Amino acid sequence: MTADREDPGGNEAHRDDDDDDERPDFADLYDELAALEGVVDDPEERERVREAMATAVEAQPTGQFGRVVYGFTTRDAAQSVMGAAVFGFPMLVEDGTRDIGRFLAGHPPLLVGTALAGLALVIGILYVADIQAVRIHRPILGVIPRKLLGVVAVSLFVAVVGMLGWGRVDPDTPRVAIGQILTAWVPMGVGAALGDIVPG
């Protein structure tokens, strides 16, 4: 059913009741501010826009999902460590991790494919699954998203420390060790991504 209304300027506008889903949300507001930041020439004005963006993110309505998030803070790092640990501890104690790592070490294309698949999973969780409205803001070197780099680095750190610290790899066989660490890292990367963006 279509309802007619008049806007304050006297022009008649038409709106379907089904258009409620197309109303601008907070993510749209953030994107507009980001676009404004890109066209502002004056450094001081650009900084004011960035401050407005940060304030808007802090002031957005509370909720579990659909929040705008960007960057990678120490709090994000801590949450990623927890996520990586929860998902990764089973991989540290399972002998299957070592067996898979040895297999991958003997098949370099599969080793590379596993690394790429793990990276694709992390990217999918952060930027495709739409769990949160993750925005890329001021990427490193203009191309590397801070959140992606942070999640990958934290989860890889947990995998390396865990596997070495618990004696699950032999440093004297580096290719096998890389395969085993990579095997542990894939679920840790998934856990770190979820730990970063899922609240609570």
Side-chain angles (χ1 to χ4, degrees), residues 19-29 32:
D19 288 345
D20 290 345
D21 293 338
E22 298 179 6
R23 289 180 180 174
D25 57 14
F26 184 84
D28 296 321
L29 170 62
E32 289 290 333

Side-chain angles (χ1 to χ4, degrees), residues 32 43 64 73 81 83 111 134 153 164 166 197:
E32 289 290 333
Q64 292 298 306
T73 64
V81 167
L111 183 70
V134 181
L164 287 175
W166 284 7
I197 64 176

Side-chain angles (χ1 to χ4, degrees), residues 11-138:
N11 296 322
E12 202 172 52
H14 302 281
R15 184 180 59 130
D16 291 333
D17 293 336
D18 295 336
D19 288 345
D20 290 345
D21 293 338
E22 298 179 6
R23 289 180 180 174
D25 57 14
F26 184 84
D28 296 321
L29 170 62
Y30 181 90
D31 292 341
E32 289 290 333
L33 288 172
L36 179 62
E37 179 195 9
V39 299
V40 172
D41 295 329
D42 184 72
E44 291 184 6
E45 294 299 323
R46 187 180 299 114
E47 186 59 33
R48 290 181 63 183
V49 173
R50 289 173 180 166
E51 291 174 0
M53 292 167 66
T55 301
V57 168
E58 292 297 323
Q60 65 182 308
T62 58
Q64 292 298 306
F65 301 103
R67 295 174 57 83
V68 171
V69 294
Y70 68 94
F72 195 75
T73 64
T74 53
R75 179 180 178 182
D76 295 327
Q79 292 171 334
S80 291
V81 167
M82 292 301 297
V86 169
F87 276 67
F89 276 153
M91 301 299 294
L92 296 180
V93 300
E94 283 290 332
D95 284 336
T97 302
R98 303 177 74 184
D99 294 338
I100 295 171
R102 280 192 290 268
F103 174 79
L104 292 177
H107 300 80
L110 293 179
L111 183 70
V112 174
T114 300
L116 293 177
L119 184 61
L121 283 171
V122 172
I123 292 173
I125 291 170
L126 292 178
Y127 302 105
V128 180
D130 209 23
I131 298 172
Q132 304 288 21
V134 181
R135 295 296 186 262
I136 299 174
H137 182 64
R138 300 174 69 183

